Amino acid sequence: NFFEPGRGRIAAPCSMAPSNLDPQLQEAIDRYVGSDAEAAREASMAVLTAALQKQELLLDIVLHLEKALSDTHNPTRRGQAARLLRDCLGKAEQRLNFKHVETFANFFTSRLGDWQCVEGAAGGLLVLLKRHGPVLRTLKGPEGEHGEEPMVQHIARALLREVHTPSHTQMIRKVVLDLMQTLLEEWPEEVKALGSALGEGVNAAIEEERDPRNLLLAFAIARGLLANFPQECMPDEVVAAFFETLVSYFPITFTPPKDDKFGITADDLREGLQRALGANPRLSQHTIPFFIDASKDITSGDAAGTIAQALEHLAMCLETYGSQVARKHLGDIMKNAQDQVCRTASPCPAEFASSTRRALVVALRGVAPGLHPHWLGPMVDPVLKEAAVQAARGEEESLACEGSRRLLLAVAEAHPNLLERVWTLAVPPLLEPRKRPEVMEAVKMVAAAAGAPPPPEATKPLPGPWFTEPAAVRFLLELARLALRPPKKAPVLAARQLKAALEGTVAAIRDSRTTEVEGIPSQPLLLELLGILCRLAGEQAEPARDAFIALHEMLKATVTPVLAKEGVTAQSLDPWLLRWRLRIFQARPEDACLSSLVDALAGAAALEPIWASALTPTLLAASLLPDEELPPWLTTLLPRLLAATLKSLAQVAAGSPSPSASDEDKAGKESKAAEARAQVEELLTVAVALIRIASSGEGPQESFTDVSGAVEATELSSEAALFLAQRLAASLSLPEQMPELCQGVSYGQSFETARRATGIRALIRALVARLPAADATDLCLKALQNVAASCDEQPPGSGLPVIVVVPVVLAKLPDEQWDLTAGVLRAVRLCTANIEQQLLEPFALDALEAVVAACPSSKIEELLETLRATFGKVLQPGAPDSGEPLAARGAARCWAVAAGVLLQRGGLAKEAAAFLEALLGALDSSAPVTPFVPQAFEVLMPARFDTSGGAAPATKLPPLALQQLSRTTLPSLVARAKGEGAGAAAAAKRSALQSAITVLSALPVEVAHSDCSDELRWCSLTGLKHLREETSAAGVSENADGVTFWVRALQLLVRACQRSAPWIEDDLQSLVPPLCFLSTAHKVPLVRLGSLQVLHMLAQNSRGHLAPFKRQIDIATRKAVGDRRREVRLVAVACLNTWQCGPAED
């Protein structure tokens, strides 16, 4: 045995000579133990660590430390020795036997009572528990007042008894808490034996903790102890003590320091506290009353943050405690919510409503819809009845009314049973007719202001007191939305419960004060409400049929030719419909009333085929109107109605009678199916006409999206979807007329062609997904054949625009037909190298990306050879100049697309690296493709600048590939930009710099500023310098070459200023003069805007360092406030104000 076990000391064995350590190691140990300098201790530990990894020196180190460990006169030296022993034990590779482990455990345990040695002792015990756990499980501790007990139990008892954790520094407290967490998680059976001493000790250790790093750990320890240990360890008084300790941190108002390195936020702390408080339902008797009381405005002093935290904690605790606890406290929660939302001006009404809803959801877990438990009514009904009465009173009691409606909506959202109860209580009083003199007077005044006589109905009682009050209509509308059931679910509300609302809504819409006076903003809400009520009641309910008839009549009134026959129309239309027509006929498609009407009809028609059948003649008549009688909104909104009607009728048309049905039933169903098929054919004729108009660029693109949405609708049965897809493809004459369908993407503005391409792809995608496999494959093959055939024609044939659907059709291409993609590659080259086909270039790049991504693994090498033969020759060193810069540009961009897809596919790292190396090789000489390498990187790695403050935009490459490029490609680009290669040309260095800026722009902000800070600094400053020089050399030309990439350098500077990069203040001499010049001299507004943004941030963050540049900044900002572009002027004014007056927070 190397050790002689001792009580509180490590003794050298009698038979063993003193330590045989090398003198250099002895000096390192003595320097560590005797020095107060952190740097000296780190140097000594580095020497010892290197030695420990090579040979077994731990026992010799222990012997050498014996005097320091037993030094009773120098506690600091004793503590340093304990820390050194801990560190050596953690670094040593030597395996310890059970006697070694026992001796170390006893020694460290005995030192827990030594205040100076707590850090080393706790750390040493943590190392033993982590690395020598199996040995520790077999050991017993020394006999004492508790007899012989397991070693780990002895350690835990000593830790809780001897260490007063709050009296130590943050680092030592962290070590102690780590040790406690390890004991609780990995040694639960041993520490359970401590009984109530465990809970009391842990509670004493975590109380008074204030450091956020330790708090997260303390909350996790409390949660584990409360959730996983029995009542013997956590008696009621200990649970109460834990509650007092935990709620002492409420509310959490932590704000991270400016230079925070740990990333701990207030939300992290709140979540940790919530998890701890919700760990055990035994806490509920303390937490629920506490948070209910804390949410009251009197208790919290109207502090919105405190109330919001209390409500969030309350809801989270209930969700973890379960339904039994929630039911016990539900009455108090409901009463408190009513008091705070309906009777006082609470700063957090939305939070109260949300917390109440979550409490009800928990309480009603496991309660099936339609079953009303006996305990629910006494707790909920008193509050609901009073709130229903207040909700119907209107705006004269706005606080109680608004709060009651909010609370009722929250309750209704919690469970279908509660929705039914709220509807039954709240809707009838809301619809009761009553005279509202002040509302009637307001209607008269609005009518008089419009130059019309007061309507005769102004003296009549309103059909409900609600329809002129948007808030009341919105309340009823929100209730109706909650009742919309998912498909195949039982209805929440019966038709009889909806009758009053349907009749009241129809009466309100027919009333002249709704249709004639535009000053009442509830009109679109009423229309949406009526549509939802129709869907809820169904066509079997007579009020719903009347409501649909009213909606249908409104549509017919807007599409009936009346302007040339005013007299006839006045006689044939009801007065309210005539007023509606005059109000809406010339409306724009985005008009709220019009959009609500179309949505209501579309929803009703999609749900009930009989309504879709009734709507069909009106839609067909509307499509036949001459241009002079065509409402301006019809072509935009008609596709939405067509799509809904087609979906509904397709279900009937594709249906087949049941074999067990009677002959009469079969005949009736066949008759309905035949009628539906005929109507579908007629409607598809209209839809196809609209699609052709949209594909030509002369009509709105809604035809594509709405019709393709109808084909892909998930609510369609497979038979209905197949029928609709087949009939649509036949009506469009696909695949034969695919070139005509895609022709519109080859002319017009780029943004217009992009919208058409999106619509065409959506349509073809829907057809490919729904058509039979053979038909879908045939459609895909014909599309690829069209693309390939067009390349052989001179000039290129009409089939070239079909390249827009290649990403869609490749999904159904059989492997044996993969050779057809060779024609796609030729078409890609043609579109990217021919100026006459420039509008097709984005779609060609998409097609190339799809080809490389979909290529079978067995064909990938052949594809890469084709790419090298097609595009790689231009990138080779010494490639001849063909005099066609567009071909070189297209080849570079296509090469980058292929490289990006190879990086995404995985398993092709070698091939992707070769493609990237070819791009970099083009920068080593002034080849024809060299100026276009930055554009290639732009395709490969689009910029990630996010100006909205939300999440960063998605990138094409996965994060791992981006990180790899930041460590390999970026340094290579920067080296080339600096001209480190032999004989680097100016054009090549310029392209390399622009490429590096593009790569930096594509990286996540954290990566760019941490891993690539040096490259970011150099590229930003050098890019700004180039922009300044080119602006002067080009005579501030608006078409200065490369301005797009230099603008990105400005964007990188903005991002660096936002993150307070330290190098910004070091390089003010290189930043301020160019920025002042560019902010007024450059003709591109974006350059002026970006320059002023950087100046503005410099004035905010580094105003004191800008004194040497005062004159330049004064001249630039005063001149920029007169810029001809408003956006630039706004930033210039903000910059001038900050420069003159200081930041706003000052």
Side-chain angles (χ1 to χ4, degrees), residues 760-1055:
I760 293 171
R761 285 173 178 171
L763 181 63
I764 299 302
R765 184 181 296 109
L767 291 176
V768 169
R770 293 298 196 179
L771 285 173
D775 294 344
T777 302
D778 184 55
L779 178 64
C780 297
L781 293 177
K782 290 290 179 60
L784 295 175
Q785 290 167 1
N786 284 329
V787 173
S790 64
C791 298
D792 299 328
E793 302 175 9
Q794 293 296 333
S798 60
L800 196 57
V802 181
I803 199 171
V804 74
V805 301
V806 167
V808 177
V809 300
L810 280 179
K812 286 286 185 178
L813 183 66
D815 288 352
E816 57 270 16
Q817 299 288 342
W818 185 255
D819 292 341
L820 286 174
T821 57
V824 175
L825 295 181
R826 288 187 289 128
V828 169
R829 181 179 182 183
L830 184 62
C831 293
T832 56
N834 190 341
I835 194 171
E836 296 178 357
Q837 308 295 339
Q838 278 298 285
L839 283 175
L840 296 178
E841 184 189 31
F843 314 129
L845 296 178
D846 291 343
L848 176 59
E849 181 178 352
V851 168
V852 180
C855 181
S857 300
S858 59
K859 301 278 188 178
I860 191 67
E861 191 56 43
E862 180 183 346
L863 175 63
L864 296 182
E865 286 299 326
T866 305
L867 291 174
R868 294 185 186 102
T870 307
F871 306 110
K873 295 179 180 179
V874 184
L875 279 78
Q876 294 177 357
D881 189 352
S882 63
E884 297 181 1
L886 202 60
R889 174 182 176 275
R893 289 165 65 86
C894 292
W895 196 261
V897 168
V901 180
L902 292 175
L903 284 170
Q904 293 178 58
R905 280 188 59 144
L908 298 171
K910 182 179 179 181
E911 290 80 0
F915 270 64
L916 288 173
E917 192 59 36
L919 272 181
L920 295 174
L923 295 171
D924 293 332
S925 60
S926 297
V929 76
T930 301
F932 305 109
V933 172
Q935 297 186 34
F937 277 100
E938 184 180 20
V939 172
L940 177 65
M941 305 172 68
R944 283 175 59 96
F945 294 108
D946 178 37
T947 58
S948 64
T955 59
K956 289 186 176 181
L957 298 181
L960 189 60
L962 283 174
Q963 186 177 13
Q964 179 184 356
L965 292 178
S966 71
R967 297 179 181 273
T968 57
T969 304
L970 180 59
S972 179
L973 288 171
V974 173
R976 287 175 166 86
K978 292 179 178 179
E980 296 178 3
K989 291 195 292 184
R990 181 176 182 274
S991 294
L993 175 60
Q994 292 177 344
S995 301
I997 290 174
T998 301
V999 173
L1000 284 168
S1001 302
L1003 295 177
V1005 179
E1006 296 77 12
V1007 175
H1009 283 268
S1010 58
D1011 299 343
C1012 312
S1013 57
D1014 293 338
E1015 291 87 351
L1016 176 65
R1017 174 183 184 177
W1018 187 85
C1019 291
S1020 301
L1021 296 175
T1022 309
L1024 182 63
K1025 176 184 176 183
H1026 275 268
L1027 180 58
R1028 169 68 171 83
E1029 293 173 352
E1030 291 185 3
T1031 302
S1032 301
V1036 295
S1037 168
E1038 196 165 340
N1039 297 317
D1041 186 25
V1043 68
T1044 301
F1045 298 98
W1046 306 141
V1047 166
R1048 288 188 180 160
L1050 288 174
Q1051 292 174 313
L1052 291 174
L1053 284 173
V1054 170
R1055 198 158 67 176

Side-chain angles (χ1 to χ4, degrees), residues 223-546:
R223 179 189 176 216
L225 188 60
L226 287 163
N228 302 322
F229 284 78
Q231 190 168 355
E232 291 76 14
C233 298
M234 301 294 293
D236 291 342
E237 59 273 15
V238 174
V239 171
F242 263 95
F243 164 74
E244 295 294 340
T245 299
L246 292 172
V247 297
S248 66
Y249 299 105
F250 175 85
I252 293 177
T253 57
F254 171 70
T255 301
K258 184 177 181 181
D259 56 346
D260 179 39
K261 300 178 181 179
F262 304 101
I264 299 175
T265 65
D267 290 338
D268 297 330
L269 295 173
R270 293 185 193 113
E271 183 180 357
L273 179 59
Q274 288 170 2
R275 291 178 178 274
L277 289 171
N280 196 319
R282 294 172 60 204
L283 281 166
S284 62
Q285 59 181 321
H286 307 289
T287 55
I288 304 304
F290 174 82
F291 287 126
I292 290 177
D293 188 63
S295 65
K296 297 176 181 178
D297 55 352
I298 298 177
T299 306
S300 63
D302 284 332
T306 301
I307 296 175
Q309 286 190 47
L311 294 170
E312 179 63 24
H313 287 319
L314 175 63
M316 283 284 294
C317 287
L318 289 173
E319 288 169 350
T320 54
Y321 293 157
S323 58
Q324 293 299 325
V325 174
R327 293 169 187 174
K328 179 180 178 181
H329 296 276
L330 188 58
D332 294 335
I333 294 171
M334 291 291 297
K335 184 64 176 175
N336 182 55
Q338 183 184 29
D339 291 340
Q340 300 302 314
V341 177
C342 306
R343 295 171 181 169
T344 61
S346 171
C348 303
E351 287 79 1
F352 268 106
S354 175
S355 178
T356 305
R357 175 188 58 79
R358 293 166 68 180
L360 287 165
V361 168
V362 176
L364 288 167
R365 281 179 185 169
V367 177
L371 298 180
H372 298 272
H374 64 88
W375 51 265
L376 183 61
M379 294 183 179
V380 174
D381 277 359
V383 175
L384 295 186
K385 289 177 180 178
E386 185 176 348
V389 173
Q390 292 174 341
R393 289 179 179 174
E395 295 181 349
E396 54 265 23
E397 297 184 20
S398 58
L399 179 62
C401 178
E402 181 183 357
S404 297
R405 290 171 180 172
R406 186 189 295 272
L407 185 60
L408 288 171
L409 286 173
V411 172
E413 189 178 356
H415 196 274
N417 293 352
L418 293 173
L419 171 59
E420 181 183 6
R421 187 62 177 156
V422 169
W423 185 278
T424 303
L425 292 174
V427 173
L430 195 67
L431 300 175
E432 288 179 1
R434 75 176 84 174
K435 286 196 174 184
R436 299 271 302 278
E438 67 281 2
V439 175
M440 297 179 185
E441 187 63 30
V443 173
K444 293 178 183 179
M445 292 177 63
V446 174
E457 295 90 340
T459 59
K460 298 179 181 179
L462 300 178
W466 50 280
F467 83 88
T468 57
E469 183 190 342
V473 182
R474 193 173 292 110
F475 167 66
L476 192 55
L477 176 60
E478 291 295 333
L479 278 179
R481 286 173 178 165
L482 293 175
L484 279 176
R485 60 192 182 279
K488 301 181 181 179
K489 289 287 185 71
V492 177
L493 300 173
R496 57 181 174 77
Q497 295 172 303
L498 299 167
K499 179 180 178 181
L502 279 164
E503 293 174 346
T505 307
V506 172
I509 289 176
R510 292 174 182 268
D511 194 280
S512 64
R513 285 158 289 189
T514 302
T515 57
E516 184 174 348
V517 182
E518 298 184 22
I520 300 177
S522 59
Q523 297 168 5
L525 301 178
L526 286 168
L527 292 169
E528 182 181 355
L529 173 62
L530 190 58
I532 292 177
L533 293 174
C534 286
R535 294 160 63 185
L536 291 173
E539 61 91 17
Q540 297 294 331
E542 184 177 353
R545 293 197 295 271
D546 294 339

Side-chain angles (χ1 to χ4, degrees), residues 108-129:
F108 284 131
T109 304
S110 68
R111 295 295 173 159
L112 290 174
D114 187 341
W115 196 87
Q116 293 285 349
C117 295
V118 168
E119 180 181 4
L125 289 171
L126 187 60
V127 173
L128 290 175
L129 291 171

Side-chain angles (χ1 to χ4, degrees), residues 92-279:
E93 299 293 335
Q94 181 179 352
R95 294 180 60 85
L96 303 179
N97 61 31
F98 77 96
K99 186 60 71 175
H100 302 157
V101 174
E102 180 183 17
T103 304
F104 273 120
N106 283 326
F107 168 72
F108 284 131
T109 304
S110 68
R111 295 295 173 159
L112 290 174
D114 187 341
W115 196 87
Q116 293 285 349
C117 295
V118 168
E119 180 181 4
L125 289 171
L126 187 60
V127 173
L128 290 175
L129 291 171
K130 293 288 188 182
R131 299 183 58 176
H132 303 285
V135 178
L136 278 173
R137 293 185 188 277
T138 66
L139 300 178
K140 299 290 185 179
E143 289 191 15
E145 58 181 307
H146 299 282
E148 191 177 50
E149 58 186 357
M151 178 63 74
V152 174
Q153 184 178 334
H154 171 66
I155 293 171
R157 189 185 302 278
L159 176 68
L160 298 176
R161 181 182 59 196
E162 302 290 346
V163 180
H164 183 246
T165 308
S167 64
H168 290 277
T169 62
Q170 181 274 329
M171 186 179 299
I172 299 176
R173 299 199 306 272
K174 174 72 165 54
V175 175
V176 174
L177 292 176
D178 282 333
L179 179 57
M180 286 185 180
Q181 187 177 40
T182 301
L183 289 169
L184 293 174
E185 291 181 353
E186 300 181 13
W187 308 81
E189 295 302 323
E190 287 78 1
V191 297
K192 280 179 185 177
L194 297 179
S196 61
L198 175 63
E200 294 169 356
V202 172
N203 181 62
I206 66 175
E207 66 181 354
E208 301 180 22
E209 182 60 65
R210 290 295 180 266
D211 187 274
R213 293 165 289 179
N214 291 356
L215 265 182
L216 287 178
L217 187 55
F219 291 154
I221 291 172
R223 179 189 176 216
L225 188 60
L226 287 163
N228 302 322
F229 284 78
Q231 190 168 355
E232 291 76 14
C233 298
M234 301 294 293
D236 291 342
E237 59 273 15
V238 174
V239 171
F242 263 95
F243 164 74
E244 295 294 340
T245 299
L246 292 172
V247 297
S248 66
Y249 299 105
F250 175 85
I252 293 177
T253 57
F254 171 70
T255 301
K258 184 177 181 181
D259 56 346
D260 179 39
K261 300 178 181 179
F262 304 101
I264 299 175
T265 65
D267 290 338
D268 297 330
L269 295 173
R270 293 185 193 113
E271 183 180 357
L273 179 59
Q274 288 170 2
R275 291 178 178 274
L277 289 171

